[in-house]
Amino acid sequence: MAAPETSTAAVPTLYTNNTLRNAFGGVLSFFILLLIGVMAFSIRLFSVIKYESVIHEFDPYFNYRVTQFLAKNGIYEFWNWFDDRTWYPLGRVIGGTVYPGLTLTAGTIWWLLNSLNIPLSVETVCVFTAPIFSAFASWATFLLTKEVKGTGAGLTAAALLAMVPSYISRSVAGSYDNEAVAIFALIFTFYLYIKTLNTGSLFYATLNSIAYFYMVCSWGGYTFIINLIPMHVLLCIVTGRFSSRLYIAYAPLVVLGTLLAALVPVVGFNAVMTSEHFASFLVFIILHVVAFVYYIKGILSPKMFKVAVTLVVSVGLAVCCAVIAVLIALVASSPTKGWSGRSLSLLDPTYASKYIPIIASVSEHQPPTWPSYFMDINVLAFLVPAGIIACFSPLSDSSSFVVLYIATSVYFSGVMVRLMLVFAPAACITSGIALSQSFDVFTRSIKFQLPGISSNTEVDAAETSSATAEAQNDAVKTEKSEETSKNRPSKKSKKKEKEEKPSTKAKAEKRLLALPLDSSVISLLLLILLGAFYVVHCVWAAAEAYSAPSIVLTSRSHDGLHVFDDFREAYGWLRHNTDVDDKVASWWDYGYQTTAMANRTVIVDNNTWNNTHIATVGTAMSSPEKAAWEIFHSLDVKYVLVVFGGLVGYPSDDINKFLWMVRIGGGVFPHIKEPDYLRDGQYRIDSQATPTMLNCLMYKLSYYRFVETDGKGFDRVRQTEIGKKHFKLTHFEEVFTTHHWMVRIYKLKPPKNRIRGKTKKSKSKTSSTSSRGKRSGSGKKNPWQ
Amino acid sequence: MGRASSKEDAGALFHSLRSAYAATPLNLKIIDLYVGFAIFTALIQVVYMAIVGSFPFNSFLSGVLSCVGTAVLAVCLRIQVNKENKEFKDLSPERAFADFVLCNLVLHLVIMNFLG
């Protein structure tokens, strides 16, 4: 009984072994994915633990305010909302100028939870939206990499993305900004595109378009997708990989995607009229031409096809040239060739500094430095080239897409440090591929050389489908692993000479190239060490570098932890001690926070859509007191808010930003000349400062009564004593200064009732002393002319 | 000489195209007719816009793109249903048609929203 069983059970055992192993692998990868999601969520919670559950920075406050409005008033009010509390007196059409994806997502989550009777506040939902979507993003990375290279690479890439510091920096709990949701949408759209490309199913093409719609709703960076995918289609056509699956993947996306993009009010007709989208239409036409040519080629005999080609080429060329000439004329007639300012500043990195100083002034639009690459993607910087090579063997549609993605994102990340965020998923995908391949090679070498495994060679011979590819990879991988093993020169020489040693196994001698046992074990350990370094760095970066809410500052000194909560103190004072309709003027950085927390109308905010308005405020800050008072009075301003870090050493205060006020103001009002404020090419506030600088409003409002703090007026940020120490303010009065002097609020003094008979004289006097050519000093004159 | 040969070449080409096309199955020809009709409708809309002007632009855009969209989707259906395509031999035509209907539903939902 036993003997026939064992003989007949041999083959089914093989089969059940395989399915059992596959099932076990499936369950294991499910649990790994779950843990990756939990890790992605938890690593972003450092700021909540160290500070509190508060919204960070500047832009998230605007999104938070919009979400509050949405939660209170519903979606129709939100869609038609005209905000009159900002950009006074212009206002802002929120419905038409905001990317609604993030706020609608958070609003939906809040509404869902509240209808399930889980009463979370809007703030809590906003704070934790980013970590939740980063967990989704790592799952999307798993799906995408699985389509490219398989489950192992997918899990590695997902684990890498969950922790990569570049992504953590923009999606930490409290950073409620567009990128929190947009990166998930980006990766998911790419996954669906690759899935459609691999399967050729129209169902996935539909899902792809819907995911693209979600991306357009979420972030202005959607133009990256609508240019990368056509580039990839063109690459496939040019390298001879045209197939009908390519057509199904691309053509419905263009039509549906353009329509869906035009549905979003921010984009509107830009979806068909700006140069950012022209690439997709051009490739659409090219794809149709190529598909038609292939179809004709398929139904004609070769001789007839040649005839057809000569005929079409002679006629079609003339038509083509005419059409292209018209198109070029159309595009060239617009001054920016149809591109928006932001896109142009990406293509030509020097564009912004020459023409649009506001774009140039934002710190996250500067090019990154080399250390920031190591800070933001750490170990992945070494693994990316290995991953690119792994994508080439074998080259499929999906791996060529990954290569193209990483090449373009590396370029753009070099232009603007904010776009390191788009580079991070590509880096994780390629590094995941590289790590997983090398693990495969090493473990396979170990498995084949362990004693007692040779009885299973028939089992393993059945699954040598990828072994051929890996045999070619082995030689490459040893070189790469040499680079990753940092300080082992002796091992390097040993590996180099063992590289060519063929394996001497029973069944698979013609295909497998196993590495020697000891070097693979050591390499495996070194790879694990590499991973450990990466994890340690990521946790450190998340805890120390990227978790600062920047609205609350802390510093450690010998007598414990100091907390600087000055910003919220100032906004709270404004909220409780001023009228609801009072207007507050400050530099545009603080606009969003002022409207959200102080609930007062501001003149300019972080949206920076109106350069002239910002230049007006900048001019006012750079002018002497009386001229500044005139400007502010014409804008109905009641309070002026200034951020000053000189007492505590806070470096991002308004005096350090002053050069931008002068530049932007000078760009629109020519009477503000930057050299007036410079001494030897530098902005100085000490005794060597120019008289224009010492008399301007920003200096006076920052340093008023500053000498009373320590008797000498020593500015800790500029590390020098101030130039003008004792002065009085004639047109402003100080109403509030926070505890550490970080925020100072001044009120405009009302105009005098009687000028005591000196009316005509004072008018002529001000018109001659205010040598700012265009403006004459009598109050109601329009300062814009 | 060149002229005459090119003319008879064109004639031969035309004939061979015609005979090759006549060999396609009937269901594919119906789909091709549908595609042709959609493109023709789009052309009429463009000519109308050229005559009358493009206001309101969103209506024009949604009209033209709905025609182009249905044409594209019908071509996708044709690709998937065509028995000569080796890549799709394990895709049942019912599934292909169901995908086609779903995609058209989404397309026309968007069109109706955008039509104004």
Side-chain angles (χ1 to χ4, degrees):
Chain A
M1 198 69 113
E5 257 186 20
T6 44
S7 57
T8 51
V11 169
T13 315
L14 196 67
Y15 176 68
T16 50
N17 262 348
N18 257 348
T19 50
L20 193 66
R21 202 163 9 163
N22 282 340
F24 186 61
V27 172
L28 195 63
S29 48
F30 174 73
F31 276 113
I32 293 177
L33 269 181
L34 207 61
L35 282 177
I36 288 177
V38 170
M39 173 177 71
F41 183 82
S42 346
I43 202 174
R44 286 161 169 82
L45 295 184
F46 276 106
S47 65
V48 175
I49 297 172
K50 286 169 72 168
Y51 299 89
E52 62 181 286
S53 164
V54 73
I55 308 247
H56 296 189
E57 304 248 327
F58 303 108
D59 278 3
Y61 272 100
F62 171 69
N63 296 324
Y64 171 54
R65 181 167 161 252
V66 175
T67 317
Q68 273 182 314
F69 185 87
L70 173 68
K72 194 161 82 162
N73 302 40
I75 189 162
Y76 286 107
E77 292 293 319
F78 163 74
W79 218 243
N80 296 320
W81 185 21
F82 178 78
D83 188 18
D84 56 349
R85 308 282 293 178
T86 176
W87 293 94
Y88 186 84
L90 305 166
R92 177 184 172 185
V93 181
I94 298 281
T97 56
V98 79
Y99 280 98
L102 176 71
T103 47
L104 286 177
T105 309
T108 312
I109 296 177
W110 175 85
W111 176 81
L112 208 64
L113 288 175
N114 267 330
S115 58
L116 289 174
N117 275 329
I118 306 175
L120 288 182
S121 72
V122 178
E123 182 176 10
T124 315
V125 173
C126 291
V127 164
F128 288 102
T129 299
I132 293 177
F133 273 85
S134 64
F136 293 161
S138 48
W139 293 339
T141 315
F142 163 73
L143 290 170
L144 174 56
T145 321
K146 188 166 86 121
E147 283 300 312
V148 178
K149 273 293 180 184
T151 315
L155 288 173
T156 324
L160 290 176
L161 185 83
M163 289 192 293
V164 66
S166 156
Y167 186 30
I168 289 183
S169 70
R170 303 290 302 198
S171 69
V172 79
S175 174
Y176 180 57
D177 207 355
N178 286 341
E179 288 93 348
V181 186
I183 296 297
F184 161 67
L186 181 89
I187 304 177
F188 197 56
T189 310
F190 284 153
Y191 157 64
L192 286 172
Y193 171 66
I194 295 294
K195 183 93 181 167
T196 318
L197 199 56
N198 282 344
T199 58
S201 151
L202 200 55
F203 172 65
Y204 281 110
T206 318
L207 286 181
N208 188 16
S209 313
I210 296 179
Y212 173 67
F213 173 53
Y214 185 52
M215 179 70 193
V216 174
C217 282
S218 309
W219 197 29
Y222 75 91
T223 49
F224 180 65
I225 297 187
I226 202 62
N227 281 306
L228 183 65
I229 292 186
M231 238 195 282
H232 177 244
V233 170
L234 208 56
L235 180 75
C236 283
I237 292 177
V238 162
T239 54
R241 304 187 74 94
F242 174 80
S243 64
S244 41
R245 289 171 291 122
L246 190 69
Y247 183 85
I248 295 181
Y250 185 63
L253 173 69
V254 168
V255 178
L256 260 178
T258 310
L259 270 171
L260 286 167
L263 268 185
V264 181
V266 179
V267 177
F269 295 146
N270 285 345
V272 290
M273 304 229 283
T274 52
S275 296
E276 279 111 354
H277 289 89
F278 280 168
S280 56
F281 301 140
L282 194 66
V283 175
F284 185 65
I285 295 175
I286 292 178
L287 183 72
H288 275 93
V289 168
V290 170
F292 192 61
V293 164
Y294 269 90
Y295 172 68
I296 297 286
K297 195 166 170 182
I299 63 171
L300 281 183
S301 64
K303 181 174 82 75
M304 281 287 105
F305 182 63
K306 268 204 234 117
V307 169
V309 165
T310 47
L311 206 65
V312 165
V313 163
S314 54
V315 169
L317 209 60
V319 174
C320 232
C321 288
V323 168
I324 289 181
V326 167
L327 202 66
I328 290 182
L330 255 173
V331 166
S333 61
S334 81
T336 57
K337 313 283 179 293
W339 295 87
S340 74
R342 285 202 158 177
S343 311
L344 264 179
S345 64
L346 277 181
L347 294 174
D348 172 17
T350 58
Y351 178 78
S353 49
K354 281 188 282 190
Y355 297 106
I356 316 178
I358 284 197
I359 295 185
S361 75
V362 181
S363 67
E364 51 191 17
H365 289 178
Q366 308 304 322
T369 53
W370 282 112
S372 68
Y373 274 95
F374 293 120
M375 171 73 172
D376 276 350
I377 54 170
N378 207 34
V379 155
L380 307 186
F382 313 133
L383 293 174
V384 160
I388 294 180
I389 295 186
C391 282
F392 274 102
S393 55
L395 187 68
S396 65
D397 291 339
S398 33
S399 51
S400 68
F401 177 76
V402 170
V403 172
L404 195 64
Y405 177 24
I406 199 160
T408 47
S409 56
V410 163
Y411 169 70
F412 285 124
S413 74
V415 173
M416 215 187 251
V417 73
R418 184 179 185 185
L419 294 179
M420 288 279 297
L421 183 61
V422 175
F423 172 52
C428 290
I429 294 172
T430 38
S431 331
I433 293 175
L435 259 184
S436 149
Q437 292 276 64
S438 34
F439 263 100
D440 255 353
V441 167
F442 292 137
T443 48
R444 203 172 280 275
S445 314
I446 294 177
K447 191 162 85 165
F448 276 123
Q449 297 190 42
L450 282 178
I453 302 294
S454 47
S455 59
N456 282 347
T457 43
E458 40 192 298
V459 174
D460 296 323
E463 41 180 56
T464 47
S465 52
S466 55
T468 22
E470 292 191 16
Q472 294 147 14
N473 278 347
D474 280 2
V476 178
K477 282 298 161 284
T478 32
E479 287 162 2
K480 292 302 160 192
S481 60
E482 283 170 18
E483 280 148 27
T484 56
S485 60
K486 302 176 191 58
N487 44 4
R488 303 269 176 174
S490 56
K491 289 276 171 272
K492 264 193 200 172
S493 51
K494 261 210 252 175
K495 274 187 220 160
K496 267 202 160 68
E497 66 194 49
K498 284 181 185 167
E499 208 175 79
E500 269 76 32
K501 193 169 91 177
S503 112
T504 54
K505 280 308 118 209
K507 283 222 67 138
E509 69 281 357
K510 50 195 177 306
R511 278 177 296 213
L512 284 182
L513 198 70
L515 297 170
L517 182 66
D518 47 357
S519 53
S520 14
V521 168
I522 290 179
S523 317
L524 206 60
L525 287 175
L526 286 175
L527 274 185
I528 295 177
L529 200 64
L530 195 74
F533 280 141
Y534 175 68
V535 171
V536 165
H537 171 84
C538 293
V539 174
W540 170 83
E544 298 299 326
Y546 289 135
S547 287
S550 74
I551 188 142
V552 176
L553 308 161
T554 58
S555 79
R556 284 192 179 279
S557 64
H558 55 272
D559 48 339
L561 185 72
H562 286 279
V563 175
F564 300 93
D565 209 1
D566 287 41
F567 289 103
R568 292 196 289 181
E569 187 185 344
Y571 298 132
W573 184 91
L574 269 179
R575 196 185 186 113
H576 290 117
N577 291 300
T578 59
D579 292 332
V580 176
D581 282 332
D582 284 342
K583 327 288 187 264
V584 178
S586 67
W587 192 231
W588 59 261
D589 282 3
Y590 315 106
Y592 281 156
Q593 285 184 341
T594 313
T595 35
M597 280 195 272
N599 198 24
R600 294 289 172 267
T601 311
V602 291
I603 306 294
V604 286
D605 69 14
N606 308 54
N607 192 28
T608 65
W609 65 268
N610 190 331
N611 195 32
T612 312
H613 220 47
I614 296 182
T616 311
V617 174
T619 309
M621 295 295 192
S622 330
S623 313
E625 254 193 275
K626 181 149 175 65
W629 186 93
E630 302 287 345
I631 298 180
F632 280 141
H633 190 67
S634 77
L635 286 171
D636 285 349
V637 171
K638 197 89 170 295
Y639 294 91
V640 178
L641 187 149
V642 160
V643 170
F644 170 62
L647 184 66
V648 292
Y650 174 61
S652 319
D653 64 352
D654 279 357
I655 292 282
N656 272 356
K657 293 179 189 162
F658 185 62
L659 76 101
W660 292 110
M661 299 185 198
V662 170
R663 276 190 200 159
I664 296 177
V668 179
F669 298 96
H671 62 263
I672 304 286
K673 301 190 221 353
E674 199 174 348
D676 286 346
Y677 299 84
L678 297 172
R679 172 83 66 191
D680 307 325
Q682 280 190 9
Y683 285 88
R684 302 179 67 146
I685 44 95
D686 53 9
S687 48
Q688 295 295 315
T690 59
T692 331
M693 183 77 191
L694 291 175
N695 274 325
C696 74
L697 188 72
M698 181 49 71
Y699 179 90
K700 285 199 169 164
L701 293 187
S702 295
Y703 294 115
Y704 178 61
R705 291 192 314 116
F706 183 52
V707 69
E708 294 171 18
T709 55
D710 60 350
K712 294 193 311 281
F714 184 75
D715 183 337
R716 291 230 177 103
V717 180
R718 266 63 58 177
Q719 296 289 324
T720 170
E721 287 187 13
I722 59 179
K724 194 152 83 167
K725 301 187 187 184
H726 303 273
F727 56 89
K728 285 203 191 326
L729 292 175
T730 53
H731 288 75
F732 295 84
E733 59 173 321
E734 181 185 6
V735 284
F736 186 66
T737 300
T738 58
H739 186 218
H740 300 102
W741 286 56
M742 275 170 66
V743 183
R744 312 193 65 182
I745 305 181
Y746 295 84
K747 188 172 173 178
L748 261 71
K749 280 191 184 165
K752 289 205 179 66
N753 266 334
R754 295 180 301 142
I755 315 182
R756 276 206 247 154
K758 290 199 189 148
T759 320
K760 286 204 176 25
K761 236 206 215 169
S762 66
K763 265 201 196 159
S764 60
K765 203 170 165 198
T766 47
S767 63
S768 63
T769 52
S770 75
S771 55
R772 321 292 179 219
K774 295 198 175 153
R775 246 182 297 127
S776 65
S778 53
K780 293 301 173 196
K781 207 60 188 297
N782 189 348
W784 276 278
Q785 275 146 19
Chain B
M1 166 89 154
R3 270 302 198 147
S5 78
S6 74
K7 248 183 123 169
E8 62 189 43
D9 271 345
L13 177 67
F14 187 61
H15 279 295
S16 65
L17 265 178
R18 210 166 171 189
S19 57
Y21 187 67
T24 58
L26 185 63
N27 54 351
L28 295 186
K29 277 198 199 153
I30 294 177
I31 298 179
D32 289 340
L33 200 62
Y34 179 64
V35 172
F37 164 68
I39 305 256
F40 179 61
T41 316
L43 280 174
I44 291 184
Q45 289 185 351
V46 172
V47 168
Y48 179 73
M49 179 211 76
I51 297 175
V52 170
S54 71
F55 180 81
F57 192 57
N58 55 327
S59 313
F60 164 67
L61 212 57
S62 60
V64 168
L65 282 179
S66 79
C67 294
V68 173
T70 49
V72 163
L73 291 177
V75 171
C76 291
L77 178 68
R78 187 192 200 275
I79 289 173
Q80 289 183 331
V81 164
N82 197 355
K83 297 213 180 21
E84 294 169 19
N85 264 334
K86 298 295 172 295
E87 294 169 331
F88 293 103
K89 61 174 162 45
D90 49 355
L91 182 73
S92 63
E94 287 82 13
R95 171 69 200 265
F97 187 68
D99 285 343
F100 170 72
V101 167
L102 174 72
C103 211
N104 262 317
L105 264 175
V106 173
L107 175 71
H108 285 96
L109 187 68
V110 177
I111 296 286
M112 293 308 291
N113 200 3
F114 196 49
L115 205 52

